[in-house]
Amino acid sequence: MATSAAAASSLSLLFSHPRSRHSSANSRPVHGPHLRLPARASRARCASSSDAPATATKHRRPAEENIREEAARLRGPAQGFSAWYEPFPPAPGGDPNERYSLDDVVYRSSSGGLLDVRHDMEALARYPGSYWRDLFDSRVGRTAWPYGSGVWSKKEFVLPEIDSDHIVSLFEGNSNLFWAERFGREYLGGMNDLWVKHCGISHTGSFKDLGMTVLVSQVNRLRRAPLSRPINGVGCASTGDTSAALSAYCAAAGIPAIVFLPADRISLQQLIQPIANSATVLSLDTDFDGCMRLIREVTAELPIYLANSLNSLRLEGQKTAAIEILQQFNWQVPDWVIVPGGNLGNIYAFYKGFEMCRVLGLVDRVPRLVCAQAANANPLYRYYKSGWTEFQPQVAETTYASAIQIGDPVSVDRAVVALKATNGIVEEATEEELMDATALADRTGMFACPHTGVALAALFKLRDQRIIGPNDRTVVVSTAHGLKFTQSKIDYHDKKIKDMLCQYANPPISVKPDFASVMDVLQKNLNGKI
């Protein structure tokens, strides 16, 4: 299953375009005819006008107009950008012209392989990197529909042809890039440039929102006139977070959601989300891979759209987290980005976002990527350690990092491409390592999920091996909110995990309700600290 030479060469063309970015044909003025000026430029122009309004309220939309209607009224001319599906990687001897419209309901190529969304890079490259940087920066945090979203603020790089009125957004993204100063200083040998990208600070509490807004928006487009496709619902197999994101976005759009969950393998906090959002929830006595096989069979027979990461639309939204990291560093590229890996679409999505920015001149390089897996579900790690000789799926064992408890990942070929292109690394973490790393992170003000613990444990190992240096700018991607996994923290701090020392546990102390008893405990536990 190793990536072929033909596949590798074809991937070098993934972000290419016929004309060089440095050719005179692309040296156009920053403010082209098809895109409105960034807000800062617009404000500057208004400021120079002698009849500028006395108050900002003059430009507010009419009271009877909602933000979607305002967006439709202000919509400019067609931008001329487009995207489509292509086989990934192209099959040897296959049709070199095989491509599909994003309006087609198709998940695999004619040879049965994956598909990837390909953008018209030539059209995007007609504007220099500085234009895209300014445009994206001007939209951050605004309420102008749909650009206040961390995903849709990069609409031209995501789903350029969709009508804004069809977009289903909960203003996802724009998540915190947390400076993990104390964690790096005290536990990682003085790392002074360590950051944690808290993607779990999103509407449903996970990274999955970024991809689901794109997928559900496209389904909304397909169901609406003039396309009017007979799609009766959207379905997914899930280890928890995917079902939560799908259910929320479908509920917002009024589209039925169907989720297949492995019984007794996800947290109650994750389970209640699709239930609360009125999804049809099927609890199946199997693992994620079994759920995935069933949902693929069902969507092949019924008019239900498949929402798993087999569907490459989701990766278009997920890649915006990489672009957002660049924005937050003022378009400077970090040295390392560490991503937890389960079904393995995430690592490729980060690569795609960074590489797209490099090719279009927003930045001049990409960071090295690390994919971190739980040792109980580590097929990519084993593949990497074998020198990429042969991929062997496995039956994943139980792990506290339940969202990445996947033994036969759909996007393994995508992950290999991302890692080879960035001189990347795959590392693993045992259950004790990931839980200890989570506990240490929490001691410094975080409230990390177990998947973040996997990534942090991988960072510990790479620091010990001196692969990552103390001054390397490093970003650890946190994919979900810790509140979704409170039971794992309870078990750890109660020291109720079998065969685990739980050395950083901090259980509550039972004390008699009198002053002397309280003082005795405080003096014992705070000795030398006060």
Side-chain angles (χ1 to χ4, degrees):
M1 197 170 176
T3 305
S4 66
S9 63
S10 68
L11 290 161
S12 67
L13 301 175
L14 179 62
F15 297 97
S16 64
H17 42 79
R19 285 199 294 261
S20 167
R21 295 195 313 276
H22 305 293
S23 66
S24 59
N26 292 325
S27 301
R28 300 192 178 191
V30 170
H31 307 303
H34 300 305
L35 292 174
R36 279 197 295 274
L37 292 171
R40 67 183 69 173
S42 300
R43 287 196 297 271
R45 181 173 290 180
C46 290
S48 65
S49 174
S50 59
D51 58 351
T55 62
T57 56
K58 180 175 179 179
H59 295 294
R60 291 183 62 181
R61 63 180 182 275
E64 67 277 6
E65 183 179 65
N66 66 37
I67 59 175
R68 287 181 183 271
E69 293 165 339
E70 178 190 43
R73 174 171 57 81
L74 296 175
R75 190 174 301 128
Q79 299 168 334
F81 305 130
S82 61
W84 56 88
Y85 295 122
E86 283 189 1
F88 179 93
D95 181 1
N97 298 315
E98 182 180 1
R99 68 163 63 177
Y100 305 91
S101 167
L102 297 187
D103 293 336
D104 291 334
V105 180
V106 57
Y107 312 115
R108 287 195 177 274
S109 68
S110 60
S111 65
L114 298 172
L115 294 172
D116 198 30
V117 175
R118 174 79 180 270
H119 288 261
D120 184 347
M121 300 295 283
E122 179 181 9
L124 293 169
R126 289 171 186 158
Y127 304 94
S130 58
Y131 173 78
W132 295 116
R133 291 195 299 266
D134 288 345
L135 181 68
F136 295 161
D137 286 347
S138 74
R139 294 168 170 173
V140 172
R142 304 301 175 86
T143 58
W145 184 266
Y147 300 119
S149 157
V151 172
W152 296 108
S153 61
K154 292 93 176 164
K155 179 176 182 288
E156 295 81 4
F157 283 21
V158 176
L159 213 58
E161 296 174 275
I162 194 169
D163 192 301
S164 293
D165 191 46
H166 293 162
I167 289 174
V168 182
S169 174
L170 302 175
F171 282 71
E172 51 288 316
N174 296 325
S175 57
N176 178 27
L177 188 60
F178 176 85
W179 183 27
E181 178 189 20
R182 184 184 166 201
F183 188 82
R185 182 180 69 244
E186 295 189 11
Y187 301 125
L188 287 161
M191 287 193 77
N192 60 9
D193 210 352
L194 175 63
W195 305 79
V196 177
K197 178 65 171 168
H198 281 300
C199 293
I201 304 177
S202 193
H203 183 74
T204 74
S206 89
F207 181 78
K208 303 300 177 95
D209 291 356
L210 305 182
M212 209 57 75
T213 181
V214 177
L215 183 140
V216 175
S217 294
Q218 179 64 7
V219 172
N220 196 38
R221 167 185 164 89
L222 294 175
R223 284 164 51 98
R224 302 269 290 271
L227 295 176
S228 304
R229 298 291 175 82
I231 298 174
N232 294 341
V234 187
C236 74
S238 177
T239 50
D241 289 333
T242 299
S243 66
L246 174 65
S247 303
Y249 282 85
C250 281
I255 300 173
I258 305 97
V259 299
F260 288 18
L261 298 174
D264 302 322
R265 287 176 171 85
I266 70 171
S267 72
L268 291 176
Q269 292 85 352
Q270 292 172 299
L271 175 61
I272 196 59
Q273 288 183 282
I275 290 173
N277 287 137
S278 73
T280 299
V281 179
L282 305 182
S283 179
L284 304 170
D285 187 17
T286 183
D287 59 8
F288 169 81
D289 297 308
C291 289
M292 189 67 212
R293 286 190 293 270
L294 282 168
I295 192 67
R296 287 172 63 179
E297 292 175 13
V298 168
T299 54
E301 296 294 328
L302 298 177
I304 297 173
Y305 196 84
L306 181 64
N308 282 96
S309 57
L310 175 66
N311 189 317
S312 54
L313 281 174
R314 280 181 45 196
L315 305 184
E316 294 306 292
Q318 292 170 2
K319 77 183 183 188
T320 62
I323 305 174
E324 196 168 286
I325 287 171
L326 296 175
Q327 280 186 285
Q328 289 170 309
F329 283 133
N330 196 27
W331 301 102
Q332 296 177 350
V333 181
D335 299 304
W336 297 89
V337 175
I338 306 175
V339 185
N343 220 14
L344 302 180
N346 288 359
I347 192 76
Y348 178 68
F350 272 89
Y351 164 67
K352 195 173 186 184
F354 287 128
E355 178 67 357
M356 195 170 186
C357 288
R358 185 194 68 80
V359 169
L360 291 172
L362 284 75
V363 294
D364 60 0
R365 63 184 181 90
V366 299
R368 291 186 69 181
L369 297 180
V370 177
C371 186
Q373 292 206 295
N376 284 357
N378 64 349
L380 185 70
Y381 175 76
R382 297 183 185 187
Y383 191 16
Y384 170 75
K385 296 299 284 187
S386 76
W388 305 120
T389 55
E390 184 179 3
F391 176 75
Q392 293 288 343
Q394 67 182 94
V395 176
E397 298 178 40
T398 301
T399 171
Y400 276 102
S402 57
I404 57 175
Q405 185 180 318
I406 298 170
D408 191 9
V410 168
S411 294
V412 60
D413 286 344
R414 291 171 172 150
V416 173
V417 166
L419 291 162
K420 286 185 175 181
T422 62
N423 191 23
I425 295 172
V426 186
E427 190 52 87
E428 68 172 355
T430 67
E431 294 301 288
E432 187 153 15
E433 288 168 343
L434 73 89
M435 291 301 292
D436 283 348
T438 302
L440 288 175
D442 291 351
R443 284 189 171 197
T444 65
M446 287 182 260
F447 196 68
C449 68
H451 319 88
T452 309
V454 173
L456 291 170
L459 174 58
F460 273 108
K461 292 184 176 183
L462 295 173
R463 283 288 295 118
D464 288 344
Q465 298 166 32
R466 299 188 179 182
I467 294 174
I468 295 181
N471 297 319
D472 289 353
R473 173 169 285 180
T474 303
V475 178
V476 172
V477 176
S478 177
T479 56
H481 202 293
L483 284 172
K484 288 191 171 191
F485 303 92
T486 52
Q487 189 60 51
S488 67
K489 296 180 182 293
I490 292 170
D491 292 345
Y492 184 91
H493 289 287
D494 277 350
K495 294 191 173 184
K496 291 182 177 179
I497 302 178
K498 184 179 179 181
D499 299 326
M500 189 178 295
L501 182 60
C502 303
Q503 59 180 318
Y504 304 113
N506 182 33
I509 303 169
S510 297
V511 187
K512 293 180 181 179
D514 61 73
F515 180 78
S517 298
V518 170
M519 288 297 293
D520 286 344
V521 171
L522 292 180
Q523 288 177 345
K524 178 181 178 181
N525 284 273
L526 298 179
N527 183 34
K529 297 180 182 179
I530 58 175

